[in-house]
Amino acid sequence: MSKIIIHGGFFSESSTNIETKIAKQQALLRIVKDSYAYLQNHSALETVVYAVSQLEDDELFNAGIGSQIQSDGKIRMSASLMDGESQKMSGVINIEEVKNPIQVAQVLMQVDDRILGGSGATNFARKHGFEPFSTEIPQRRAEYEAKLASLGTGTVGCVALDNNGKIAVATSTGGKGFEIPGRISDSATVAGNYANEFCGVSLTGVGEDIVSNATAAKIVTRVTDGFSIEKAFEKTFAELKPYDGFAGAIGIDKQGNIFHQDSHPSMVFASFDGENEEVFE
């Protein structure tokens, strides 16, 4: 019954050479299969944190290690976690010098003030044992110094359905690069990361477009109201078209149907159900 799908942003946000493409395919398949094995003995909530932590640790992806540098030369990251059963969401916005922002969001799930931003998020992390860690890599510094702005479409995420039929979703981002300090992406909002007992959805793309469309929340709500996951995606993505919204999404419904869609090529993703694997081409 258990299913899992992950995404690693858009392929166009980095070099489009064949070596990078193959490396991302291999990394996503490795992480999704390892996380599926973990899912067999853990909850969906634990598993999405496990999977996104691995994506944060891989510098191929723009989250955690390898995050983009903002216009003032600093890295600020955001991540969120949502439990479809309890309907609790937790998250950090613009946290600094933490290796795994999604793990800070996991700790926040246990407190009343579950979404923290800026210095409050960073201070919370320090008080809970998250040591200072620079997520900068030489490539990002070179891009920053050369003013090579990316498309800003790098985010990682995971949706999991466990053997008890519970759904959870986690999303993490290193930002779009060169943004105004204080800018808030979709990743720690219900537009980019949302789940209930019927469906879970994680987004990547241009945060402003995703928030304008309330994308994740719309898809999940439509599935809840009786749409098939495919039709819910189709209708919601059609609503991005009037302003050429840039987004990609992954989702799983309570029946175990996996779906993914992007408005522009090409979101990188991988899914696995114990037998069948799929990875972006």
Side-chain angles (χ1 to χ4, degrees):
M1 176 63 178
S2 55
K3 304 283 183 76
I4 187 167
I5 184 169
I6 60 176
H7 71 71
F10 278 81
F11 187 62
S12 54
E13 58 91 14
S14 66
S15 168
T16 55
N17 63 57
I18 189 65
E19 291 82 6
T20 301
K21 180 177 181 179
I22 292 170
K24 287 193 172 187
Q25 288 172 330
Q26 292 175 340
L28 288 168
L29 281 174
R30 171 180 53 79
I31 292 169
V32 80
K33 288 183 176 181
D34 181 55
S35 299
Y36 178 83
Y38 184 88
L39 179 59
Q40 302 317 299
N41 298 301
H42 295 83
S43 69
L45 191 68
E46 293 168 327
T47 302
V48 295
V49 173
Y50 179 80
V52 168
S53 293
Q54 291 192 63
L55 290 161
E56 289 176 335
D57 289 345
D58 193 322
E59 65 180 51
L60 281 169
F61 306 106
N62 175 24
I65 297 170
S67 290
Q68 296 280 359
I69 300 172
Q70 297 191 348
S71 60
D72 64 350
K74 294 185 178 181
I75 292 173
R76 298 178 180 88
M77 302 163 288
S78 297
S80 66
L81 175 66
M82 190 159 184
D83 180 3
E85 181 181 22
S86 68
Q87 288 280 270
K88 283 186 177 181
M89 183 175 180
S90 60
V92 291
I93 298 170
N94 290 328
I95 195 168
E96 296 183 43
E97 294 195 311
V98 167
K99 184 182 180 186
N100 294 108
I102 195 62
Q103 294 179 16
V104 184
Q106 184 179 31
V107 176
L108 278 166
M109 189 68 80
Q110 309 305 318
V111 302
D112 290 337
D113 300 332
R114 291 196 297 273
I115 297 179
L116 298 181
S119 60
T122 304
N123 292 338
F124 179 87
R126 297 288 177 262
K127 289 178 181 178
H128 287 81
F130 292 88
E131 299 294 331
F133 183 94
S134 174
T135 57
E136 182 181 312
I137 61 173
Q139 176 190 340
R140 297 303 190 206
R141 178 56 60 180
E143 290 170 349
Y144 175 77
E145 291 177 350
K147 302 296 184 187
L148 296 176
S150 77
L151 288 176
T153 51
T155 300
V156 303
C158 177
V159 185
L161 171 69
D162 65 28
N163 287 317
N164 293 315
K166 309 301 183 187
I167 298 170
V169 57
T171 308
S172 181
T173 187
K176 66 179 182 178
F178 311 105
E179 62 265 58
I180 298 170
R183 180 251 184 188
I184 294 172
S185 75
D186 65 290
S187 297
T189 75
V190 297
N193 189 81
Y194 196 73
N196 64 12
E197 64 180 297
F198 298 99
C199 185
V201 174
S202 173
L203 267 289
T204 181
V206 175
E208 286 75 7
D209 293 351
I210 293 166
V211 168
S212 294
N213 190 42
T215 310
K218 273 187 179 177
I219 293 171
V220 172
T221 299
R222 284 170 168 152
V223 173
T224 303
D225 289 345
F227 278 64
S228 69
I229 191 169
E230 181 176 359
K231 290 295 184 183
F233 267 75
E234 180 183 321
K235 183 170 178 60
T236 305
F237 269 77
E239 291 164 352
L240 287 163
K241 290 181 179 178
Y243 54 94
D244 194 31
F246 198 124
I250 58 174
I252 302 178
D253 68 19
K254 68 176 183 178
Q255 282 82 33
N257 297 305
I258 298 176
F259 200 77
H260 58 85
Q261 186 171 340
D262 47 30
S263 62
H264 295 67
S266 297
M267 179 179 64
V268 305
F269 70 93
S271 63
F272 191 59
D273 63 4
E275 294 183 3
N276 304 299
E277 65 181 53
E278 185 182 6
V279 69
F280 79 98
E281 297 181 350

